Amino acid sequence: MPSKTPRIIIILEWALISFVVISQLLMINRLKESIGLIFIGLAIFSGLGMWRSPKKLPKKIFNYVNTIVQCFIITALTIWVKIYSYQLLFLVVVIRSCLILRGFEQFVVSGCVFVGACAIHSYRLAHQQLPLQLADNQPEFIWLNLNLLFGLLIFSLQLLVDKILVEEQNKLELAIINQKLRNYALRIEDLATIKERNRIAREIHDSLGHSLTVFNLYLEAALRLMPTDQQEAEC
């Protein structure tokens, strides 16, 4: 998993939260008494997504507790304060779970979110806490369609976020491999330069050694001829 959250996931998360805020502002006339609690709850919910695990608390336990608190806030806002667009907040929980959990744990959170959303759908339909008036023969049909649609949306969103994370991880690994290749290329270039310098130095050493050896032989011969044939020695 990438150490840094991909920008597109951050944008998606805050777009969902912003849509919930906008929907509540559009219904402010219906929720005058509880609008303050709604925005306090939304502010706490948003802050939980940016809160990182303290060093003294195990990361996995903190992630579980954080996720449970987020679901509790959504449930409280939905049942007690009658917030609308709560499904989008559950989708935010799914996105966040994809970032902090892996494998089976991630599916457990998604399953719990789906069950919680189904329970809230049932509660709101039973108490007629919907923005639209329904006929007497419609609740079961609406409940079934809401749950099927929401389950499909959770599954699709989880696949989408996982795919984005995998692509980001692949990009990160590819960047690391490219950096290693560049380092290896520079190292090979340095080794080739050192090898060439050593070859030139060896050639200079051999050439100079050969020249000095010949010069030494001539010098010794000249010194031997000096007493007997000075003219030949000088030549």
Side-chain angles (χ1 to χ4, degrees):
M1 185 175 61
S3 57
K4 186 178 180 181
T5 305
R7 182 178 298 179
I8 187 173
I9 294 180
I10 297 176
I11 293 174
L12 178 60
E13 177 182 333
W14 284 101
L16 292 172
I17 296 176
S18 299
F19 188 87
V20 175
V21 172
I22 293 172
S23 67
Q24 296 308 127
L25 289 175
L26 293 176
M27 299 180 181
I28 193 170
N29 292 330
R30 299 184 183 181
L31 305 170
K32 287 183 179 180
E33 297 179 356
S34 57
I35 195 68
L37 292 175
I38 290 175
F39 285 108
I40 290 174
L42 290 176
I44 295 174
F45 177 82
S46 301
L48 289 173
M50 298 181 289
W51 192 17
R52 294 295 175 259
S53 173
K55 295 182 179 179
K56 296 181 180 180
L57 186 67
K59 188 174 181 180
K60 182 173 290 189
I61 295 178
F62 173 82
N63 291 336
Y64 283 134
V65 173
N66 194 323
T67 303
I68 292 172
V69 172
Q70 291 179 51
C71 293
F72 175 79
I73 291 175
I74 298 172
T75 304
L77 289 174
T78 304
I79 295 177
W80 296 335
V81 192
K82 299 180 178 60
I83 190 175
Y84 297 104
S85 303
Y86 57 90
Q87 298 95 334
L88 300 183
L89 296 180
F90 276 125
L91 293 181
V92 172
V93 174
V94 173
I95 293 174
R96 291 174 177 176
S97 70
C98 292
L99 296 175
I100 61 177
L101 301 174
R102 294 285 90 191
F104 178 74
E105 298 172 345
Q106 187 182 118
F107 284 99
V108 169
V109 171
S110 297
C112 291
V113 166
F114 177 72
V115 172
C118 291
I120 293 176
H121 291 157
S122 301
Y123 177 86
R124 300 200 73 165
L125 285 171
H127 293 79
Q128 292 296 316
Q129 294 180 358
L130 295 174
L132 300 175
Q133 295 294 328
L134 301 177
D136 294 336
N137 60 344
Q138 286 184 334
E140 295 79 7
F141 177 77
I142 294 296
W143 182 87
L144 181 61
N145 280 274
L146 276 177
N147 292 333
L148 288 176
L149 180 61
F150 190 69
L152 181 61
L153 191 57
I154 288 177
F155 181 72
S156 301
L157 182 63
Q158 185 172 330
L159 292 179
L160 175 63
V161 175
D162 284 341
K163 184 177 181 180
I164 293 174
L165 293 176
V166 169
E167 289 181 355
E168 289 295 324
Q169 183 66 27
N170 291 338
K171 288 180 182 179
L172 180 61
E173 293 177 354
L174 184 60
I176 294 174
I177 293 174
N178 288 335
Q179 183 61 41
K180 288 182 178 180
L181 290 175
R182 283 193 290 268
N183 293 336
Y184 290 151
L186 291 175
R187 188 178 300 177
I188 291 173
E189 184 178 352
D190 292 339
L191 291 175
T193 302
I194 293 173
K195 185 177 180 180
E196 183 65 17
R197 288 176 180 174
N198 290 338
R199 185 186 65 80
I200 295 173
R202 187 164 51 251
E203 289 182 357
I204 294 175
H205 177 270
D206 294 343
S207 177
L208 182 60
H210 177 72
S211 299
L212 290 176
T213 300
V214 173
F215 178 76
N216 186 46
L217 291 175
Y218 280 131
L219 184 59
E220 289 180 358
L223 291 175
R224 290 178 182 176
L225 289 174
M226 185 66 70
T228 58
D229 192 349
Q230 184 176 359
Q231 184 177 1
E232 183 67 18
E234 291 178 353
C235 294

